[in-house]
Amino acid sequence: VEKPIRILVLNGSIRAGNYTAMASALVVDELRRHPKVHVEVITIGELKLDPPGINPNSTDAKRLQDAVKGATAVVIVTPEYHGSFSSLVKLAIENLGFPSVLAGKPIALLGVAAGTIGAIKSLEHLRGVLSHVGAMVLPLLTSVPNVQSVFDKEGHCLDPKVEKMVRGVATQLMQYIENAVCPRVTLEALLRGEPVGAAH
Ligand SMILES: Cc1cc2nc3c(=O)[nH]c(=O)nc-3n(C[C@H](O)[C@H](O)[C@H](O)COP(=O)(O)O)c2cc1C
């Protein structure tokens, strides 16, 4: 397999001109520098996901579940809305099965907020929910405060320190995969011709 490591990036904002996608794009760019990494980005709001308890295996729910199942690891990027993570992120989690296909998945979290205190509350809440469903949330939470002055309207990051921090989400995740995931599964998966993590 040419690109055995598959990273799924989930974006939690569908707002026109959203800053979540801008921060996410930096992580994606950083991940794509790794020759062995395939990156898929899903904007949750573009899927047709039903409320919890209704049609849990709809076409788009299945699509999301398959994307998670096939991923070596997941990055979730959420805006801070009303002191927590976006309801779109919760809706994605509700559509990932019970028990959840997120169980055992390494997950890196990135939050962006217009406010000065950043997206810490969103990330703490999200970490709690993801731990509840059995995901392996990486310890370093990355929060971008004042996000609307850190990026311009075209999505350029105006603060090199913030850009380095956001790109660090990718670095942290790749280090985890290389140190903790790959030694276990890479060789076996490569022999079977499967993407790393797909069998889990
Ligand atoms: C429904 C809603 C609730 C929001 N609540 C908060 C909040 O609690 N704290 C905060 O710092 N910003 C809040 N914001 C502003 C967002 O953080 C801001 O839009 C930021 O750009 C991230 O969201 P985006 O990715 O949709 O752009 C809120 C925005 C919306 C649309």
Side-chain angles (χ1 to χ4, degrees):
V1 181
E2 203 188 331
K3 292 177 183 284
I5 298 171
R6 298 181 65 89
I7 311 285
L8 172 65
V9 179
L10 298 177
N11 287 350
S13 177
I14 190 73
R15 213 177 53 77
N18 73 80
Y19 289 81
T20 294
M22 298 176 188
S24 173
L26 291 180
V27 179
V28 169
D29 180 67
E30 193 64 29
L31 287 170
R32 290 201 167 127
R33 291 174 187 215
H34 293 261
K36 289 193 165 61
V37 173
H38 173 274
V39 186
E40 181 183 9
V41 181
I42 292 182
T43 299
I44 298 163
E46 289 173 357
L47 299 178
K48 200 184 166 309
L49 299 173
D50 288 300
I54 313 262
N55 207 3
N57 291 310
S58 66
T59 307
D60 278 8
K62 286 293 282 177
R63 198 189 138 206
L64 187 61
Q65 289 168 21
D66 289 344
V68 170
K69 277 188 210 162
T72 313
V74 180
V75 179
I76 301 180
V77 191
T78 183
E80 175 137 323
Y81 289 163
H82 295 133
S84 189
F85 60 90
S86 164
S87 56
L88 288 172
V89 174
K90 189 64 160 48
L91 185 61
I93 295 168
E94 315 288 23
N95 277 269
L96 285 172
F98 182 66
S100 177
V101 292
L102 287 167
K105 287 287 168 191
I107 307 198
L109 300 183
L110 170 62
V112 303
T116 52
I117 63 167
I120 291 298
K121 284 190 285 183
S122 316
L123 296 171
E124 290 286 3
H125 296 169
L126 184 52
R127 166 154 67 186
V129 172
L130 291 169
S131 296
H132 179 90
V133 302
M136 302 291 291
V137 183
L138 299 201
L140 186 67
L141 305 174
T142 304
S143 160
V144 181
N146 304 311
V147 70
Q148 299 187 346
S149 52
V150 167
F151 289 88
D152 68 17
K153 296 277 179 214
E154 285 77 48
H156 303 114
C157 189
L158 306 170
D159 184 333
K161 282 189 184 146
V162 173
E163 177 159 347
K164 191 163 178 240
M165 177 183 78
V166 172
R167 288 179 179 276
V169 174
T171 315
Q172 181 204 195
L173 184 59
M174 288 311 297
Q175 275 170 3
Y176 180 80
I177 290 170
E178 278 154 18
N179 295 332
V181 180
C182 283
R184 260 192 305 120
V185 295
T186 307
L187 186 58
E188 203 191 336
L190 283 174
L191 287 172
R192 285 198 305 258
E194 291 169 1
V196 175
H200 291 218

